[in-house]
Amino acid sequence: MSKIGVMICGHGSRSQAAVDQFSVLAEKLPAYLPPEWAVEYGYLEFANPVIRDGLDRLRAQGCDKILAVPGMLFAAMHSKNDIPTVLNTYAAKHGIEVSYGRELGVDPKMIAAAGGRVQEAIAAANAAHGEVPMHETCLVVIGRGASDPDANGNVAKIARMLHEGLGFGWCEVGYSGVTFPLVEPCLQHASKLGYKRIVVFPYFLFSGILIDRIYGFTDQVQAENADIQFVKAGYLNDHEQVLATFAERITEQVGEIPPPNCAMCKYRTQVLGFEAEVGAVQESHHHHVEGQGASAPGSNVEDCNLCDSFCTGLCRLEKQAKMHDHHDHSHDHTHGHAHSHDHVHAEYPHADHPLGPESARKSPKT
C-alpha cells in the first residue's frame, strides 16, 4: 500500500519575510490533513529549500505517492509549465508517482478570506477616522499580473465578487507587473473618480517586494490626493480559509475523479490574442535562480540606482531592454553564469501598453 506524501510547491521570493510566511503556512497545513500523511514544501526559485529538496525528504520518509499542489493563487506559467516540469522530471528519475492538483483559484473560501482582510482594514479605518459609507468607497484590487489572460481574468472575477458582495461604490482592478494597468496608473485613475475613501487590497498570499511596491505607490498617490483617504488592506497570508482551500486541493486528488487542474489554458486551447502559444513546450526556466534568496539580482532596493524606497519595476524594464538589444546583435545566448537561454518564451503581446510596465518610466529615482 502506498505511503502518501504532500508537496507544497511555492514560487519563492527574494524577501525573507515572504519565505518565512510561506513556511508558517506549510507548518499549519498538516492539521487539516490525515495525520499519517507527511507534508513538505519547497520553492521554484530564489528561496530554499527548492522543490527537489522537499521531494527528497518525502522519499526519505518512505513516500512513494506524492500529492503535489502549486502554492499559488492562480494558474499561469509557473503553475502550468515550470512546476510540472520539475515534478515530472523528478518522478521519472526516481520512479515514484507524483500527481498534481489545482491552484487555489476562484473559490468561495478564498473569496471569504479576501473579504475578511478587506473588512478588517475598513473596521480599523472606521475606528481611526470615522465611518465612510460603502457607497462612497472605491475598492482597488491588485493582483500579481501574468502573461496569461486566464490568471489575470481570475483577479478581475475575485474583485467583482468582493465589489458586489460587500457593496462598494466602485471597483478598479490593477496588477503589480507584466500586464496592465499597473499599480500606479490604476490608483491614479481611481483617485479621479470622486470617492472619499479608496481601499487598496493586494490579492496576494504573502509579503514581498511586490507588496512593498503596492503599498509604496499607494503612499505616493495618497500624497498627491490629500482629500482622499487611502486604506491599505492586508494580504491573505495564513487565513484559515486559505488553509482550508489548500487542504481541499490536496485531498481532492485522491477522489474517484480528480478535478482537472488546467481548465482555460492558453497552452491547450486558443485564447483570444494568445493563439500562437497553443502546444508550447512544457519547460522550466527557473533553475538558474534556484535557492539564491536575498542574493538574487534585484533583491535589495538599497542597491538599486533606479528606485528610492520601494521597487517600482523599472529595473526589470531596463534589463529587458538590454536583453533585447543584446539579442539584436548576437546569437550567443550564454551570459557567463552557466545558464543557456536555448528555450524560448513567447513575448507578452501588450508589453508596450502605456499603462503596463512602461508606466514605471514615470517614477525614476530623482
Side-chain angles (χ1 to χ4, degrees), residues 4-8 21-41 58 61 69 238 240 242-248 250-251:
I4 292 178
V6 173
M7 183 66 207
I8 313 300
Q21 288 171 7
F22 188 93
S23 65
V24 168
L25 180 145
E27 289 162 6
K28 290 184 176 181
L29 192 55
Y32 293 75
L33 298 170
E36 66 272 19
W37 290 5
V39 179
E40 294 290 346
Y41 66 92
L58 289 173
Q61 296 175 63
V69 290
D238 57 350
E240 61 179 13
V242 173
L243 287 161
T245 311
F246 265 121
E248 183 177 273
I250 296 163
T251 57

Side-chain angles (χ1 to χ4, degrees), residues 175 178-186 188-189 217 312 314 317 348-363:
Y175 303 89
V178 184
T179 189
F180 60 92
L182 292 197
V183 182
E184 192 262 350
C186 179
Q188 291 288 3
H189 180 75
F217 276 125
T312 65
L314 184 57
L317 198 63
Y348 181 60
H350 307 297
D352 61 347
H353 196 290
L355 301 183
E358 287 293 328
S359 67
R361 297 192 192 280
K362 294 168 57 179
S363 307

Side-chain angles (χ1 to χ4, degrees), residues 14 209 293-312 314-315 322 365:
R14 299 179 179 95
I209 291 172
S295 65
S299 58
N300 299 301
V301 173
E302 55 268 27
D303 297 333
C304 180
N305 62 1
L306 300 173
C307 305
D308 283 314
S309 58
F310 65 95
C311 176
T312 65
L314 184 57
C315 53
K322 290 178 181 177
K365 195 169 192 175

